[in-house]
Amino acid sequence: MEEVTTAKAIDDEGPSKIPSHEVPEIDVPLRETEFGGIRFNAVTSFIGVALLWGFAIYCMATPEEALANLIELRQNVAKHFTWFYIGANPAFTFFLLWITYRYGHIKLGMADEKPEFSDTEYFAMIFSAGVAVGLFFYGVSEPLWHRASHWYVEAGYRSQDEVDQWAIMLTAYHWGLAGWSPYCVVAISSGLASFRFGLPMTVRTSMYTLFGNYTWGWLGDFIDGFSIVATVAGICTSLGLGAIQIIAGFQRLGWFGIKETDDVASLTSANVMVIWVITILATLSVVSGLHTGIKFLAQLGFGIGMMLLVLVFCMEKTHFLLNLMVQTLGNYLQWGIFLLPFWTDAFGQLKDGEGRSPEGASATWWMDSWTVFYMAWWTAWACFVGLFIARISRGRTIKEVVSYCFVAPMLYSIIWFSVFGGAGLRQARQATELTLLGETVYNDTTHFEVPGNPLCYRVPQESIMNEFKNVTFFESVMPGVTPVCKFDTKLSTSAWFNVLYSFSFPGSDSDESEGFGPFLSALSIVAVGIYFITSSDSGSLVVDHLSANGRKEHHSIQRIFWAFSEGAVATALLVAGGADALSALQAASIVFGLPLCLFLFLMCLSIKHMCEFADANPDAVELPDPAIGSWDMPVFGGIFNILEYVVSIGHVHEDRVALGMHLPTSFQFFGFFTNLFFPFVSLWKILNLLDPKGSHKLMNGIVVTVYFLSFVTSIVMFSMSGINFGYTSFGWTFFLVNTTMLTNIRATVRGQFSIRGNIVGDFFASSFCYPQTLVQIQLQFESFDGAELKRTTKAVEA
């Protein structure tokens, strides 16, 4: 395998259009293979190809088994990690607010660089990549879903007005700051690393301040490889949703012979066909480049979306929608920033037999299918959208990036869902009203029902009165907005088109084929298709960069390959899902998004490090070596250096060989396995090194004895869990005792040698990585000569 030195920032059209005073690119020892003019990272690409195509083949070969396993995985992840998904998001949100307040003036680039795109182009491209077809798929249906399923609905003491407002509120929360915070974290971290400090624009680079030179080796390869997998999984969720929505539109319009009565197999085939048509179009777009195809389509899609928004806003009950916007914004500021971001519905998720409330509890599936899915979906998309935003953010300050891809989309989402979701809620309420009116006036609840469609009702175009009693039963105040429809969860994709078809004026209320419904529906299908293409082409561009180490130039075959890979995985998910395709799509995001949550926390820490350095050194164009002031052997080094030798097939880059990263030493190798089974032996040695005069031998002996007893007891308790699961609790308790003791020792050593770090890092290193941590501490003592060790020991004692 050929190793070369390269560090190219993301571009896609040959010569960069950035001014000549840009930050100089830094050469770093990345792994790269060249084959027939195609240059790529073999390890990163192999991880992506093997997992994605293996997954696609598995889903298409055994669809029923694949669906069952995906749903089971989704349920297990949601069951055990809801707290993590939910709690992580507000952490990102508040971190971004703090970093903007403290370091908002720092640019993603040199101080005198100018933005590459205008503000309008910038926002349109961000929005097109960040939300895509979801606005259309969930624009009407999500609030209608929530009015029948969230916890306030089940409580029994809320009015319908409160229930409906909370339905809009939940939707705004899912699409507001919570959705955009992961994007911003990736965008700022990768943008700073690349445009401010000249490093390649990849996910691994965002964590350079934490991993140092390991960023360019096996660890970075694994990070980028898994980022490719998670990115494609997130994109495929949107591709699947887009295909389902487009086919629903075709059914309503009667295009291409697709009927609402078609069976599941026919609809699945139609969905697959749509995906591949869009994939081909997206491939043409991504091959044409960022400044040509992607920018144009983003602006076009955003423009059509705005046109639909204004048309519906004006055709519907406008002052009601304005009231709803203001009311929802107020609710969001009150509940959407502090309450909902931390809401895990802990009691509502209890099942029967676990203490579930006999009444008033929300459905147990609600959190999994909605909030957890959304947090996972945004996280799975974070690498793709974040890198794309970073790519177009050169020359902008952190404050600008946060404003355009954090605050502005939140406000736009509130407007969008207030208009479309508000229209859907109002019309569903009016349909219920017409049911009661038919019963009251005509003694027939179906009097206003549209023939052949039991969900929709014709709105009388004139007022209905009792002339003898001079009583008005119904006053016609919105002539032309008819029919109005109730919501059926089994036909959720039709909700969007039901609203559009309600604007039938100036036609009669007896013929829904007249009016603006067909035009608005066709326009929305075009918009969905464009957003569909922009998601696929932007995703393909980013995945291509990840597989090619962030190179400026790459072969068109690479772009085509990754675009088709996305289409293959989306096809596999739809085939596996069949009638339950949405569950398969949701499961993919929830499962693959979990590890990326951890990446995002590491990126936040890296952003802090880069901002501190940039603020203190405004003219610096290169980050300092993270190894300076750190442990001589990181916890991901030592025994794990074997992975570098393996993935390099024995041909490790000379830079990594010089740094001792190619193989573990004999001490690192045998020390790891000794510590794995007999950690108390190394612990005794470390305590003696901390106490060279032997002043605390008795206490050291007590500490080692307690550690030994806790270690043995934890193993015994875990092994007895098959007899009685209660023993597991004792196992974890003694495990945490050992972790706490080693955490304290590591923090003491870190302070003695003035090593950067914090107690959180000490805790995680001392838990599951305890064999490495013990080796790490011993090597740290060995690296200091006796005189220096004596001085540091005296300083600690003083």
Side-chain angles (χ1 to χ4, degrees), residues 387-626:
L387 284 174
F388 182 77
I389 292 173
R391 170 60 189 87
I392 63 177
S393 297
R394 186 167 200 157
R396 293 187 181 272
T397 63
I398 290 177
K399 185 179 295 183
E400 286 180 293
V401 175
V402 170
S403 297
Y404 278 96
C405 79
F406 195 52
V407 179
M410 179 268 291
L411 296 174
Y412 188 89
S413 295
I414 289 177
I415 294 172
W416 181 275
F417 286 102
S418 293
V419 171
F420 289 100
L425 287 170
R426 189 203 67 76
Q427 292 183 14
R429 291 162 64 105
Q430 190 176 26
T432 301
E433 186 182 13
L434 290 172
T435 303
L436 298 174
L437 180 65
E439 182 179 22
T440 301
V441 179
Y442 302 101
N443 198 30
D444 180 8
T445 57
T446 64
H447 179 79
F448 296 102
E449 188 178 289
V450 174
N453 190 346
L455 294 177
C456 298
Y457 296 79
R458 295 189 302 266
V459 180
Q461 298 301 287
E462 297 179 354
S463 298
I464 300 175
M465 301 179 60
N466 186 323
E467 297 180 358
F468 297 102
K469 296 183 179 181
N470 196 28
V471 175
T472 301
F473 293 108
F474 179 85
E475 184 176 359
S476 179
V477 295
M478 295 185 64
V481 182
T482 181
V484 294
C485 301
K486 295 179 180 179
F487 181 66
D488 184 351
T489 56
K490 296 179 181 179
L491 300 172
S492 59
T493 55
S494 64
W496 173 268
F497 298 102
N498 287 340
V499 168
L500 298 184
Y501 264 82
S502 69
F503 305 115
S504 58
F505 51 86
S508 67
D509 66 345
S510 61
D511 186 0
E512 69 172 54
S513 65
E514 296 180 333
F516 299 109
F519 168 73
L520 294 174
S521 296
L523 194 64
S524 69
I525 290 175
V526 173
V528 170
I530 291 174
Y531 275 118
F532 203 156
I533 294 172
T534 57
S535 295
S536 181
D537 60 14
S538 302
S540 300
L541 181 67
V542 168
V543 170
D544 193 20
H545 288 311
L546 288 174
S547 66
N549 294 326
R551 273 192 163 275
K552 281 184 178 180
E553 303 172 5
H554 14 71
H555 205 285
S556 58
I557 291 179
Q558 291 173 263
R559 301 183 182 186
I560 295 171
F561 172 78
W562 289 114
F564 274 65
S565 294
E566 291 171 8
V569 176
T571 298
L573 288 170
L574 287 175
V575 170
D580 200 13
L582 184 58
S583 294
L585 296 169
Q586 290 178 333
S589 289
I590 290 175
V591 172
F592 288 113
L594 185 62
L596 286 182
C597 254
L598 177 60
F599 288 3
L600 292 174
F601 276 110
L602 296 176
M603 288 179 190
C604 288
L605 186 57
S606 186
I607 289 173
K608 177 177 176 291
H609 291 165
M610 287 188 283
C611 285
E612 288 174 344
F613 182 77
D615 195 45
N617 305 274
D619 296 326
V621 296
E622 185 175 345
L623 285 166
D625 186 352

Side-chain angles (χ1 to χ4, degrees), residues 201 279 375 390 440 443 479 691 724:
M201 184 173 282
T279 296
M375 298 307 106
T440 301
N443 198 30
D691 182 31
N724 186 328

Side-chain angles (χ1 to χ4, degrees), residues 245-473:
Q245 190 70 7
I246 288 175
I247 291 301
F250 288 170
Q251 288 178 308
R252 191 60 178 265
L253 292 167
W255 289 0
F256 305 110
I258 300 175
K259 303 176 182 178
E260 296 184 358
T261 56
D262 285 348
D263 58 21
V264 173
S266 299
L267 292 178
T268 300
S269 298
N271 288 330
V272 170
M273 186 176 296
V274 167
I275 281 180
W276 283 105
V277 169
I278 296 297
T279 296
I280 292 172
L281 295 176
T283 302
L284 296 176
S285 173
V286 76
V287 168
S288 67
L290 178 63
H291 288 272
T292 306
I294 296 177
K295 184 176 76 172
F296 170 74
L297 288 175
Q299 291 176 288
L300 179 61
F302 184 75
I304 295 176
M306 284 297 300
M307 181 178 177
L308 278 168
L309 182 70
V310 173
L311 286 172
V312 173
F313 174 74
C314 293
M315 290 180 180
E316 246 292 336
K317 198 171 183 65
T318 303
H319 65 270
F320 158 74
L321 298 179
L322 287 170
N323 289 339
L324 185 58
M325 287 179 199
V326 174
Q327 186 168 290
T328 301
L329 178 60
N331 273 266
Y332 187 89
L333 295 176
Q334 181 176 7
W335 307 112
I337 296 178
F338 292 102
L339 173 67
L340 283 177
F342 295 94
W343 187 268
T344 60
D345 197 24
F347 294 107
Q349 290 203 81
L350 291 174
K351 298 179 180 179
D352 293 330
E354 298 176 339
R356 183 171 176 78
S357 173
E359 59 181 1
S362 60
T364 55
W365 54 263
W366 194 90
M367 284 297 292
D368 299 2
S369 297
W370 288 108
T371 304
V372 173
F373 160 63
Y374 269 121
M375 298 307 106
W377 192 16
W378 301 135
T379 302
W381 266 53
C383 293
F384 145 50
V385 180
L387 284 174
F388 182 77
I389 292 173
R391 170 60 189 87
I392 63 177
S393 297
R394 186 167 200 157
R396 293 187 181 272
T397 63
I398 290 177
K399 185 179 295 183
E400 286 180 293
V401 175
V402 170
S403 297
Y404 278 96
C405 79
F406 195 52
V407 179
M410 179 268 291
L411 296 174
Y412 188 89
S413 295
I414 289 177
I415 294 172
W416 181 275
F417 286 102
S418 293
V419 171
F420 289 100
L425 287 170
R426 189 203 67 76
Q427 292 183 14
R429 291 162 64 105
Q430 190 176 26
T432 301
E433 186 182 13
L434 290 172
T435 303
L436 298 174
L437 180 65
E439 182 179 22
T440 301
V441 179
Y442 302 101
N443 198 30
D444 180 8
T445 57
T446 64
H447 179 79
F448 296 102
E449 188 178 289
V450 174
N453 190 346
L455 294 177
C456 298
Y457 296 79
R458 295 189 302 266
V459 180
Q461 298 301 287
E462 297 179 354
S463 298
I464 300 175
M465 301 179 60
N466 186 323
E467 297 180 358
F468 297 102
K469 296 183 179 181
N470 196 28
V471 175
T472 301
F473 293 108

Side-chain angles (χ1 to χ4, degrees), residues 82-83 85-90 93-94 142 146 150-152 165-176 178 328 331-345 366-367 371-372 375:
T82 289
W83 61 272
Y85 265 132
I86 301 301
N89 207 275
T93 298
F94 294 129
E142 183 173 347
H146 292 335
H150 67 74
W151 49 89
Y152 280 176
Q165 178 57 60
W166 199 252
I168 288 286
M169 175 63 243
L170 283 170
T171 306
Y173 158 61
H174 289 154
W175 291 81
T328 301
N331 273 266
Y332 187 89
L333 295 176
Q334 181 176 7
W335 307 112
I337 296 178
F338 292 102
L339 173 67
L340 283 177
F342 295 94
W343 187 268
T344 60
D345 197 24
W366 194 90
M367 284 297 292
T371 304
V372 173
M375 298 307 106

